[in-house]
Amino acid sequence: MKKPKYQLIVDFIKEKISKGEWAIGGRIPSQRHLARMFDVNRSTVITALEELMADGLIEGKTGKGTVVINNTWTLMGNRTSTNWNENVTLGIHKPSVSTVQEINKAESNNNLIQLSKGELSPEMFPLEEMRSIVQRVSNQLTPFGYEEPKGNIKLRQAISNYLKMRGMGISPSSILVVSGALQALQLISIGLLQRGSTVFLEVPSYLYSLTVFQSVGMELKGLPMDREGIKVDSIYQTKKRGKSILYTIPTFHNPTGTLMQKKRREELIKYCEREQLPIIEDDVYRDLWMDSSPPESLKSMDCHGNVLYLGSLSKTLSPGLRIGWIVGSESVINRLADLKMQSDYGSSTLSQHVATEWLSSGLYDQHLETVREQLKVRRGTALEALNKHLRSYATWDIPTGGFFIWIKIKPMFKVKRLFDKALSKGLLLNPGSIYAEHSGQFIRLSFGFASLDEIRIGIFQLSQIIKN
């Protein structure tokens, strides 16, 4: 006999609780989410939840939703079961804000039009070249163990040569291979900064969507921008010398796409050297220029070891390789290398060998030429759709690199409501609020991942949502 639909929901939730997947104290999915999951009306979900409440397994709590209060073992005996959820908030690392968590989860949903993803489309992935390189690497493999603390020497030499072509004369001993720029920030936060330090950064900024610095007791202080980048005269140096640092994305800034011009870079370097304000330069978008190559990096202007430079292959080649690098003075790199060894004993040896082949064979630069051409086409498609459907409702600047368009919506709206409405229509985008854009009238649109048709459809759908 076929079970009623509400009973399927009851059995599902009981199984999750009995297996310990949903622990005591944890919140279960919302009624709306369960209704969508089982393709039923909310009333069916409510019937199921009422039965589970009667069984003493769940309970509705004000401000917390519906939470698990017992499992089958606690109902059978007098002893209470461990409530791991009481420990969830005790760790030192703060959780992402709920909207960021929701975006991270939704980015794996292939049924959504992905106008949020900060990565290149699978259409631009050099599959045949990657297969060839992986095959070449596998043919040369010998038994391998842990790499040396700073990373594979051949890869660091390849990165050194790559940086030299971009105006930075960096020796391999001043390079640390990391698993992407995010790990670089984590190592810096725990290894170089004092608790209570101030981190100056652009506002809005990608860093606001992370908690890497706040989790170790740093304070973020936003600096206003114009079309040239950070307004240098807005930097307020705290009285406690040595307790501040500047984090910046001067080249194709995330989320605004702003490109800091050469004169502003020179002004910034001069100011920071005078005030002894160290700089973290996040330069992961440098190779994604479309119209002309960007000005030289802050690191190339650095004569005093004041700049820590972050690079990565995640944005330009493949996030799955998990290969990035930190460039700095040897003493700093040695310190961070020691911390990295304590955290993971080094990045994947196989990934490092593959990255070495890409950078040293000339295939990476060939790949970049293809990516730039395709990004031009994608940018053109996005701008054409924006002009056609959103010109009356929004303004934006034309990015010269990267894959983001920072859009200001003219009508007043609640950004969370726009995000939820778009998601319900199968459209995922990033609200400006996760980058500390408090006015709420901004969204970051990515033209890097979705197909050309999806870009057109997504922007049209966005216009319909805003109109309504």
Side-chain angles (χ1 to χ4, degrees):
M1 182 177 176
K2 191 175 181 180
K3 289 184 178 181
K5 289 184 175 181
Y6 86 90
Q7 190 62 48
L8 295 174
I9 302 173
V10 170
D11 293 346
F12 170 77
I13 294 176
K14 279 186 174 180
E15 183 180 12
K16 287 287 189 183
I17 294 173
S18 66
K19 287 183 175 181
E21 293 182 28
W22 291 358
I24 293 173
R27 185 169 64 180
I28 72 171
S30 66
Q31 293 179 13
R32 184 178 66 177
H33 182 87
L34 289 168
R36 193 164 56 239
M37 183 187 301
F38 287 91
D39 193 23
V40 296
N41 295 324
R42 290 272 289 276
S43 58
T44 304
V45 175
I46 292 170
T47 301
L49 298 183
E50 286 176 344
E51 179 167 316
L52 291 163
M53 287 179 185
D55 288 343
L57 292 172
I58 63 174
E59 179 179 87
K61 292 194 174 183
T62 304
K64 290 187 176 181
T66 304
V67 299
V68 178
I69 58 171
N70 278 305
N71 58 30
T72 50
W73 294 105
T74 57
L75 291 175
M76 289 174 65
N78 294 323
R79 294 180 61 191
T80 58
S81 190
T82 300
N83 184 352
W84 275 103
N85 285 280
E86 290 179 351
N87 297 63
V88 166
T89 58
L90 298 181
I92 63 168
H93 208 290
K94 298 176 182 291
S96 301
V97 298
S98 58
T99 303
V100 173
Q101 292 187 40
E102 195 169 355
I103 291 169
N104 291 340
K105 184 177 179 180
E107 284 189 339
S108 62
N109 186 344
N110 294 328
N111 295 319
L112 298 176
I113 294 178
Q114 300 281 351
L115 295 185
S116 72
K117 274 195 175 182
E119 63 182 272
L120 296 177
S121 167
E123 297 173 1
M124 286 186 271
F125 183 72
L127 185 58
E128 291 306 314
E129 290 87 345
M130 183 64 83
R131 281 176 176 161
S132 174
I133 283 178
V134 170
Q135 183 64 54
R136 193 184 314 162
V137 167
S138 66
N139 289 339
Q140 299 169 356
L141 275 185
T142 57
F144 51 81
Y146 298 118
E147 295 286 354
E148 59 180 284
K150 293 182 184 180
N152 182 277
I153 182 58
K154 289 184 178 179
L155 175 55
R156 287 187 287 123
Q157 184 61 62
I159 293 170
S160 174
N161 295 337
Y162 159 89
L163 294 173
K164 195 171 295 182
M165 295 292 290
R166 286 152 179 82
M168 291 169 271
I170 307 296
S171 64
S173 58
S174 293
I175 297 170
L176 170 64
V177 177
V178 291
S179 300
L182 179 54
Q183 186 184 46
L185 294 176
Q186 290 169 333
L187 293 173
I188 291 167
S189 70
I190 62 173
L192 301 179
L193 305 182
Q194 299 178 41
R195 190 174 184 83
S197 298
T198 299
V199 180
F200 294 107
L201 72 166
E202 295 104 340
V203 59
S205 174
Y206 156 74
L207 198 60
Y208 281 105
S209 67
L210 307 174
T211 58
V212 59
F213 285 119
Q214 299 100 311
S215 293
V216 290
M218 312 295 168
E219 177 190 356
L220 302 186
K221 185 171 181 60
L223 303 172
M225 302 171 65
D226 58 21
R227 291 182 177 179
E228 300 279 308
I230 287 176
K231 293 182 178 180
V232 177
D233 59 5
S234 70
I235 302 176
Y236 173 72
Q237 183 66 20
T238 58
K239 292 180 181 178
K240 295 180 181 179
R241 191 172 289 275
K243 296 200 69 175
S244 301
I245 194 167
L246 171 67
Y247 169 84
T248 180
I249 311 175
T251 306
F252 313 128
H253 174 261
N254 182 5
T256 66
T258 301
L259 176 63
M260 187 182 292
Q261 299 303 314
K262 183 178 180 180
K263 184 178 179 182
R264 183 67 58 86
R265 292 173 190 242
E266 292 170 343
E267 183 184 355
L268 181 61
I269 279 287
K270 185 177 180 181
Y271 174 87
C272 290
E273 287 179 352
R274 185 177 72 243
E275 297 296 328
Q276 295 184 314
L277 178 64
I279 299 172
I280 302 172
E281 180 181 12
D282 193 337
D283 209 26
V284 297
Y285 301 101
R286 165 164 293 273
D287 288 332
L288 297 177
W289 53 269
M290 286 177 275
D291 301 322
S292 59
S293 58
E296 59 183 339
S297 65
L298 297 174
K299 184 61 182 173
S300 66
M301 304 176 183
D302 176 28
C303 301
H304 303 284
N306 202 44
V307 178
L308 277 179
Y309 180 87
L310 311 185
S312 172
L313 296 180
S314 294
K315 303 302 180 184
T316 54
L317 180 59
S318 171
L321 276 180
R322 306 310 307 136
I323 294 294
W325 49 86
I326 310 175
V327 174
S329 61
E330 286 193 30
S331 60
V332 171
I333 293 301
N334 290 340
R335 164 68 170 154
L336 297 178
D338 174 59
L339 290 175
K340 178 164 171 61
M341 289 298 283
Q342 292 184 51
S343 64
D344 65 6
Y345 252 82
S347 300
S348 161
T349 297
L350 189 58
S351 288
Q352 291 190 64
H353 281 287
V354 170
T356 302
E357 284 291 325
W358 271 104
L359 291 173
S360 60
S361 65
L363 285 174
Y364 180 67
D365 285 323
Q366 292 177 29
H367 165 69
L368 287 176
E369 291 179 10
T370 302
V371 167
R372 290 180 191 126
E373 288 303 315
Q374 293 196 39
L375 283 178
K376 284 182 185 179
V377 173
R378 289 168 165 274
R379 179 184 63 178
T381 298
L383 292 172
E384 182 182 2
L386 286 170
N387 280 314
K388 183 176 181 180
H389 302 297
L390 274 176
R391 190 171 8 178
S392 301
Y393 306 97
T395 58
W396 56 86
D397 289 327
I398 299 174
T400 58
F403 30 64
F404 303 128
I405 303 178
W406 188 237
I407 300 174
K408 182 177 183 180
I409 310 295
K410 294 177 185 177
M412 293 297 293
F413 66 89
K414 290 185 177 179
V415 67
K416 186 64 170 68
R417 186 178 178 189
L418 175 68
F419 171 80
D420 289 338
K421 188 71 174 176
L423 193 57
S424 71
K425 298 289 186 182
L427 175 63
L428 183 62
L429 43 83
N430 283 11
S433 56
I434 68 174
Y435 307 109
E437 178 49 69
H438 298 300
S439 74
Q441 287 185 255
F442 288 84
I443 58 174
R444 190 197 76 176
L445 185 146
S446 169
F447 54 86
F449 189 85
S451 68
L452 295 180
D453 283 341
E454 286 177 331
I455 291 171
R456 295 185 188 99
I457 294 168
I459 291 174
F460 171 73
Q461 289 181 346
L462 177 62
S463 71
Q464 297 304 300
I465 293 169
I466 293 171
K467 284 179 184 178
N468 294 327

